[in-house]
Amino acid sequence: RIAPAGFRILAAVDSVTRMAGSDLTITIATDGEHAVGSPHQTGEAYDVSVHGLEPRRVVAIHQMLGRILGPEFTVLYEVPETVGGALRPIATVNRHATAPHFHLQRKKGTIYPPADELSANVE
């Protein structure tokens, strides 16, 4: 199942692949052990591999995803251990991460789309 926030994330990933000229692989969607009890399970989060991408491309894609998704979403570059160089400012250490990846999700404590957007579209 994919929630509206999930469709928005998928659209952003698709847009970034076209703008960056690189395919991106979704490694965790709505299934699997990792998804249980998480926004992945509700279709509001996706993990995207950065395997093989140069650090400058990772930074550029991180920025593009943030611009496209906007403040209603969280764009994390998760790594299993501390990194240096250009990646350090965007890195979030998650000791449970099996590899560096983007974790994209609806911002915690929010509803997507916001209720005011829903009512504006109905009127």
Side-chain angles (χ1 to χ4, degrees):
R1 139 185 158 162
I2 303 174
F7 281 110
R8 181 82 177 95
I9 292 167
L10 293 173
V13 170
D14 179 60
S15 292
V16 167
T17 62
R18 286 184 278 118
M19 291 181 340
S22 296
D23 285 337
L24 296 174
T25 301
I26 294 173
T27 54
I28 298 180
T30 60
D31 58 349
E33 182 180 318
H34 175 81
V36 176
S38 79
H40 288 281
Q41 188 176 33
T42 60
E44 298 176 294
Y46 291 89
D47 286 357
V48 177
S49 174
V50 297
H51 180 74
L53 295 178
E54 296 175 4
R56 65 179 180 78
R57 304 250 320 146
V58 173
V59 171
I61 291 170
H62 181 271
Q63 291 170 345
M64 284 187 263
L65 286 166
R67 278 193 307 270
I68 292 168
L69 288 169
E72 296 165 325
F73 291 84
T74 299
V75 177
L76 296 177
Y77 171 63
E78 289 189 334
V79 294
E81 56 191 33
T82 304
V83 295
L87 296 174
R88 185 178 182 88
I90 66 168
T92 299
V93 175
N94 175 354
R95 303 261 180 239
H96 300 289
T98 57
H101 66 278
F102 290 122
H103 172 80
L104 313 168
Q105 75 171 55
R106 172 188 50 79
K107 194 163 290 250
K108 290 180 181 178
T110 66
I111 297 171
Y112 185 85
D116 57 339
E117 283 185 27
L118 288 174
S119 61
N121 290 331
V122 173
E123 294 174 1

